[in-house]
Amino acid sequence: MAVLLSTKAATMAMWRDALLAVDPTLEIRLFPDAGDPAGIEAAVVWTAHDMAELRRYPNLRLIVSMGAGVDHLLRPPGPPPGIPVARLVDRMLTTQMGEWVLLNVLRFHRQDLDYRAQQRDRVWLELPAPVTAERRIGILGLGELGTHAAGLLRGLGFPVMGWSRRPKDVPGVQGFHGPDGLAAMAARSDMLVCLLPLTPETRGIVDAKLLGLLPRGAFVINGARGAHVVDADLLAALEGGQVAGAALDVFDPEPLPAAHPFWAHLRVVMTPHAASITIPASAAPQLVENIHRARRGDAPLNLVDFGAGY
Ligand code: NAP
Ligand code: GLV
């Protein structure tokens, strides 16, 4: 039985080699050269793969996402009925996202947008000193990524809050959950960091209502999915000064069209969905372990909960 690998052509060989380095006995077929559909037992896929296509494989036992997010796999028509989906929880993914969040929290906390503007204009002006202990940071999503980022920020001395679906106790982090918790946390968040999965409940969550609850002059940092943010509402909040700056790694659609106002906005800092990039050699042991589990009939690691949507 074989593993179907489907990702960008440029990285396909690197992924194949990383999987084979862990288990040289694997037979790996590179999409679209799937060969006999009956020979495919597992599919390792990324965002572009069409879930309808996976219905061609009668002996498929497992679908594995090459990333942490699975919104691309769950959107209609979704995975073939009865086939489990596993996502990636990976130390290097988590580390990179923590670094990206820190980079942007510190950028805004240390008034870097203002100092860069002053440099452009050759202005020598000291701004008021920022006080770490007074800069409250609210994190939407206290999962693998959110909990790690919260720990890093706590380590620097920021007061950190986190919002999750279910009540959660993370040491040193003030926890909130549910709709009331969201409003309460937003009202105290001088910086709002989004690290949520994209689900029907979280789509468009960073909208005019939520932005309006933030303290005036707050910052928004989105490392999750572009569709969490209502772009027009964020732009209006930036224009009106309710939001003082935004760091965005993810967009809807991607790539962001060249005419989109974010590109040229002086208070928006963009990265091209590069906050945290899966490194095949780091992810491969977990992917192979899940392929072995599927063969044994065991539940995969990091199984996606279809009901919750992540
Ligand atoms: P995770 O471990 O599944 O954590 C998700 C968190 O969000 C959990 O705390 C969960 O609450 C919370 N949540 C989910 N739905 C919610 C709701 N309706 N209301 C309140 N809280 C809710 O996910 P992760 O590994 O941290 O990854 C998060 C997302 O980051 C991924 O889904 C992906 O979209 C994105 N990501 C982006 C990049 C990038 O490069 N930009 C890289 C990797 C991942 P519970 O704790 O109660 O379950
Ligand atoms: C990247 O966006 C991921 O979900 O891993």
Side-chain angles (χ1 to χ4, degrees):
M1 297 296 282
V3 175
L4 182 68
L5 185 59
S6 173
T7 185
K8 288 179 277 196
T11 58
M12 198 82 105
M14 202 194 317
W15 275 100
R16 180 200 54 210
D17 295 348
L19 294 172
L20 288 176
V22 180
D23 181 354
T25 70
L26 288 178
E27 184 192 342
I28 299 179
R29 300 186 190 162
L30 306 186
F31 185 79
D33 298 325
D36 176 10
I40 299 294
E41 61 176 341
V44 177
V45 298
W46 190 221
T47 49
H49 201 94
D50 176 10
M51 286 299 103
E53 197 277 334
L54 290 185
R55 285 161 168 73
R56 289 181 56 227
Y57 308 106
N59 297 314
L60 187 69
R61 290 190 235 192
L62 175 69
I63 300 169
V64 188
S65 169
M66 287 166 164
V70 289
D71 44 290
H72 55 289
L73 303 180
L74 301 191
R75 68 182 165 228
I83 306 299
V85 173
R87 73 186 194 98
L88 198 62
V89 174
D90 176 73
R91 189 180 53 80
M92 293 184 85
L93 265 188
T94 306
T95 301
Q96 289 176 68
M97 183 58 82
E99 291 168 353
W100 184 84
V101 170
L102 277 192
L103 170 72
N104 288 296
V105 164
L106 291 177
R107 181 199 307 285
F108 294 139
H109 176 61
R110 296 306 310 250
Q111 302 131 311
D112 196 51
L113 294 185
D114 300 317
Y115 280 124
R116 296 285 70 76
Q118 289 187 190
Q119 184 178 350
R120 272 193 304 275
D121 298 340
R122 291 171 159 68
V123 171
W124 184 277
L125 175 66
E126 189 183 283
L127 299 172
V131 180
T132 310
E134 292 175 5
R135 183 86 70 179
R136 301 159 300 172
I137 300 175
I139 303 180
L140 300 173
L142 263 189
E144 296 293 333
L145 304 183
T147 302
H148 177 70
L152 295 175
L153 293 165
R154 281 292 303 148
L156 288 180
F158 291 102
V160 182
M161 302 164 284
W163 185 65
S164 50
R165 193 164 58 90
R166 300 158 291 192
K168 206 155 187 182
D169 195 11
V170 177
V173 176
Q174 189 182 0
F176 296 84
H177 68 279
D180 292 347
L182 177 62
M185 188 179 87
R188 299 165 171 81
S189 295
D190 303 310
M191 289 196 199
L192 188 71
V193 179
C194 181
L195 291 175
L196 286 166
L198 183 63
T199 69
E201 287 73 41
T202 65
R203 181 175 287 274
I205 194 165
V206 183
D207 61 1
K209 184 172 167 219
L210 186 67
L211 295 170
L213 292 172
L214 301 175
R216 189 166 176 78
F219 295 91
V220 171
I221 296 173
N222 184 20
R225 286 291 181 263
H228 284 124
V229 171
V230 179
D231 292 0
D233 292 359
L234 178 57
L235 284 163
L238 285 160
E239 293 318 315
Q242 170 62 9
V243 170
L248 307 174
D249 181 61
V250 282
F251 303 89
D252 184 25
E254 293 180 358
L256 189 68
H260 195 289
F262 283 155
W263 281 107
H265 202 296
L266 293 175
R267 309 293 301 180
V268 174
V269 179
M270 291 173 51
T271 40
H273 201 144
S276 180
I277 299 168
T278 307
I279 296 171
S282 177
Q286 183 184 138
L287 302 192
V288 172
E289 166 68 16
N290 273 339
I291 293 163
H292 291 167
R293 281 173 177 245
R295 282 183 185 161
R296 295 196 302 265
D298 293 342
L301 303 171
N302 305 313
L303 180 65
V304 171
D305 175 348
F306 292 149
Y310 63 100

